[in-house]
Amino acid sequence: MSTDIHPFDSAVALTATGVPGQYQGQASKDYWNMVGPYGGITAGALVQAMLQHPLCLGDPLSITVNYAAAVGAGQFVIDAEPVRTNRSTQHWLLTVTQADAEGVMQVVTTATAVTAARRETWSATDTPMPAGPAADDVPRVPALVGAVEWLNRYEMRFVDGILSMKEDGAERDSLTRLWVRDNPPRPLDFASLAAVSDVFFPRVWLRRAKRVPAGTVSITVYFHAGREELAAAGDRPLLAQARGQEFRNGFFDQTAQLWSESGVMLASSHQIVYYKE
C-alpha cells in the first residue's frame, strides 16, 4: 500500500483515455471483496468519473448503480455521458466495461446519475440522527485478519447490530448502527460518501444469523449534503444506520442513512440485494 497516496484515492484514480467522457481505472486489491472489488468502491469511481468530466454541472444529487457482473482484477473503463443538461440539473448515463478472458470488452456495471447546482432554500429533517454514544466512546472493531480486504479500509465502531460470530439461525432485528470512517482517516468527499453508503454487511446475515451467499444487485445513493457540509464533516466518523425491509423469494431491500457527528444527514441510500438459501 502506498504511503504517498490514500488507498481510497488510489482506488478511484482515473485517467482520461482521449475518448470524450471515457476514463480508465485499475481494480484495487485494497478494496477486494469475495470475487471482485467491494461494490462501494465501484460507486465511488463512477462519482469520480462524473466530477472529472469537463462538462459536469454542480455536485452529485443521486446515483443508481446496477451491478451486472463482478468487476475483475485489472483495468476497467468508465464511459460517462451527460445526456441532458437543464438550468440546475444534469442527467448522466455511465457504464463500466472490462475485457473478458478473450479480450472482448463486456459491460459489468451500469449507472444513472443526477448532478445539480444547489441553492439555499427552506430545509428540514423528518429523520433526525438517533440518540446514542459518541464515536470516541464506542470501541473500535479490531483489524480482521484473514477477512476480505475492504473491511480493513474502514474504521468501524458498532453501537448495535454487529454481526454475530455464531451462526445459529435465530431470527432477529436487521437494524445496525455504527460509527464509520475511512482507514486511515481521510477528509470526506462525494466519492467516499458514495462508497461508505455501501459499507453494511447484507441484512439477511443479521436477520437470520446465517451467512448465506448474497450480493447487491442495485443501489441508489441520495446526496443531501453540499461541499460545505462535507468539509464540516472532515475526517471524523459518520453515524451509519441500515435496516432491511422485506425479505422474499431470493431478494431483500435495505434502507440506510448517514449523519455527520453534528447530526446533519449527509446521504441516504436504498438497495436491492440477492440472496440464496
Side-chain angles (χ1 to χ4, degrees):
M1 189 183 301
S2 171
T3 58
D4 299 323
I5 184 172
H6 194 281
F8 182 86
D9 294 302
S10 178
V12 301
L14 301 172
T15 304
T17 67
V19 176
Q22 188 177 86
Y23 304 92
Q24 187 175 79
Q26 179 79 24
S28 173
K29 291 295 185 181
D30 288 333
Y31 286 86
W32 209 251
N33 200 358
M34 303 288 189
V35 295
Y38 147 67
I41 204 67
T42 301
L46 288 163
V47 169
Q48 187 72 7
M50 284 194 303
L51 294 176
Q52 283 188 214
H53 198 291
L55 298 180
C56 183
L57 169 72
D59 295 327
L61 186 66
S62 69
I63 186 167
T64 297
V65 183
N66 306 305
Y67 300 96
V71 177
Q75 294 180 338
F76 60 84
V77 172
I78 295 178
D79 286 282
E81 180 185 4
V83 294
R84 175 73 184 240
T85 301
N86 301 319
R87 180 175 298 177
S88 59
T89 61
Q90 190 172 50
H91 299 256
W92 294 78
L93 293 177
L94 305 103
T95 58
V96 181
T97 55
Q98 195 171 42
D100 63 14
E102 285 72 43
V104 178
M105 296 300 288
Q106 301 283 354
V107 173
V108 292
T109 307
T110 66
T112 58
V114 181
T115 57
R118 297 176 184 269
R119 59 186 179 88
E120 287 193 17
T121 65
W122 173 87
S123 303
T125 181
D126 281 350
T127 309
M129 184 170 75
D136 293 338
D137 295 332
V138 180
R140 178 179 174 178
V141 175
L144 302 172
V145 178
V148 290
E149 187 59 31
W150 77 266
L151 288 171
N152 293 318
R153 300 287 75 78
Y154 290 101
E155 175 187 313
M156 300 183 183
R157 301 170 182 265
F158 283 83
V159 177
D160 48 33
I162 191 170
L163 188 65
S164 173
M165 293 297 102
K166 182 180 179 182
E167 294 188 57
D168 57 11
E171 295 193 10
R172 62 200 70 187
D173 196 301
S174 66
L175 175 67
T176 287
R177 292 192 184 110
L178 75 155
W179 291 100
V180 60
R181 63 175 167 179
D182 288 296
N183 180 35
R186 173 189 179 278
L188 191 66
D189 58 22
F190 289 108
S192 60
L193 181 57
V196 77
S197 295
D198 192 35
V199 76
F200 309 96
F201 52 79
R203 299 293 85 199
V204 69
W205 290 6
L206 183 62
R207 183 70 172 79
R208 297 183 64 192
K210 184 178 181 181
R211 292 175 184 79
V212 299
T216 300
V217 177
S218 180
I219 182 173
T220 297
V221 179
Y222 301 102
F223 302 88
H224 304 298
R227 294 173 187 259
E228 296 80 7
E229 289 92 345
L230 297 189
D235 65 0
R236 292 293 298 165
L238 308 181
L239 182 66
Q241 172 179 281
R243 171 174 254 150
Q245 295 189 121
E246 186 71 18
F247 303 80
R248 186 176 301 176
N249 298 336
F251 296 92
F252 71 86
D253 70 328
Q254 166 191 300
T255 185
Q257 302 84 28
L258 295 101
W259 293 269
S260 68
E261 275 190 316
S262 62
V264 176
M265 184 185 286
L266 303 178
S268 57
S269 70
H270 207 91
Q271 63 177 277
I272 190 79
V273 184
Y274 160 81
Y275 68 92
K276 292 180 69 174
E277 281 293 334

